[in-house]
Amino acid sequence: MMHPDDMTKDIETVLVPEEKLREQIHEMGARMTKEYAGKLPLFVGILKGCVPFFTAMTQEIQIPSQWDFISISSYDGTASTGRMTFRKDIDHDIRGRHVIILEDIIDSGATLRYLKELLLKRKPASLKICTLLDKPAGRTVELEADYSCFTIPNAFVVGFGLDYRDCYRNLPFVGVLKPSVYADEAS
Ligand code: IMP
Ligand code: MG
């Protein structure tokens, strides 16, 4: 059960505190600024989990760049369903563009594998994946991030965009959710 009065009561441990998130995103931004200089990159965020990371990350980019968003998901509660729900496509024509997908977390890899294949058919000049978190232990399909801020153990985490039933996205840190929150999950 969720504590309706205080979200932090539902957090077992803080895995990545706010300062560490900011530090690492700052470094990643400096790296991408160098690598994409003169290329007018297009950042594609995967809604909704990318939002805090998308904002923080693109604010660290010191060159002109553009934004777009896509909505797709394979998750239901705390388990990956493997089924893709495609809700919103990007607005830009990406042929010949340098595209960077921004994602909150890579778990099974199924979402990004699917999205990558879909976008590659549109012939971008380059397509890279940048993730805030990587859970390599959850991988069921072959997929690697080109840019990854943090590698984390195989726990269910929330905060900084990551949700459980669309809640906890607004926590400013990444934390492990107490199993008691979803133990009584009615399937
Ligand atoms: P994948 O397709 O299994 O790689 O799943 C990626 C998506 O699952 C992410 O975009 C998240 O929305 C969600 N996800 C995976 N692990 C977690 C987690 O620990 N907490 C919250 N959402 C997660
Ligand atoms: Mg999600």
Side-chain angles (χ1 to χ4, degrees):
M1 219 185 74
M2 294 188 196
H3 286 90
D5 57 330
D6 182 358
M7 283 188 294
T8 59
K9 287 182 186 161
D10 296 337
I11 303 302
E12 195 157 77
T13 46
V14 174
L15 202 58
V16 193
E18 199 174 350
E19 314 76 64
K20 276 190 85 177
L21 287 169
R22 302 277 167 205
E23 253 174 53
Q24 189 62 27
I25 292 169
H26 178 76
E27 275 181 32
M28 197 61 94
R31 188 178 148 196
M32 291 176 98
T33 294
K34 269 195 209 133
E35 294 182 14
Y36 283 88
K39 292 185 171 167
L40 188 67
L42 176 69
F43 288 98
V44 173
I46 306 181
L47 295 172
K48 297 176 264 190
C50 75
V51 172
F53 178 52
F54 193 99
T55 310
M57 189 68 223
T58 55
Q59 282 180 350
E60 298 292 345
I61 303 293
Q62 310 297 322
I63 52 169
S65 62
Q66 294 173 322
W67 290 12
D68 212 331
F69 296 94
I70 202 162
S71 180
I72 185 176
S73 80
S74 72
Y75 247 64
D76 181 25
T78 57
S80 191
T81 63
R83 274 179 286 110
M84 296 295 153
T85 317
F86 192 38
R87 298 193 190 87
K88 185 216 169 289
D89 202 349
I90 46 173
D91 302 327
H92 283 77
D93 176 4
I94 59 167
R95 179 174 290 267
R97 296 294 309 272
H98 293 280
V99 178
I100 302 150
I101 300 172
L102 294 185
E103 170 67 311
D104 51 3
I105 189 166
I106 306 178
D107 184 15
S108 72
T111 309
L112 279 172
R113 176 70 178 270
Y114 173 82
L115 188 58
K116 206 176 160 179
E117 279 169 19
L118 188 97
L119 295 184
L120 279 174
K121 287 187 192 142
R122 303 181 190 175
K123 307 263 185 268
S126 69
L127 181 65
K128 296 268 165 88
I129 292 169
C130 175
T131 188
L132 174 67
L133 308 174
D134 189 2
K135 260 202 283 199
R139 218 57 113 250
T140 57
V141 305
E142 218 184 295
L143 186 108
E144 269 191 60
D146 302 284
Y147 303 93
S148 166
C149 295
F150 298 95
T151 300
I152 63 163
N154 204 9
F156 190 79
V157 295
V158 293
F160 212 72
L162 291 131
D163 72 300
Y164 170 65
R165 296 212 181 279
D166 223 11
C167 292
Y168 309 100
R169 295 190 194 277
N170 54 325
L171 286 171
F173 54 82
V174 173
V176 177
L177 193 63
K178 282 185 185 161
S180 60
V181 176
Y182 51 85
D184 58 349
E185 189 174 89
S187 55

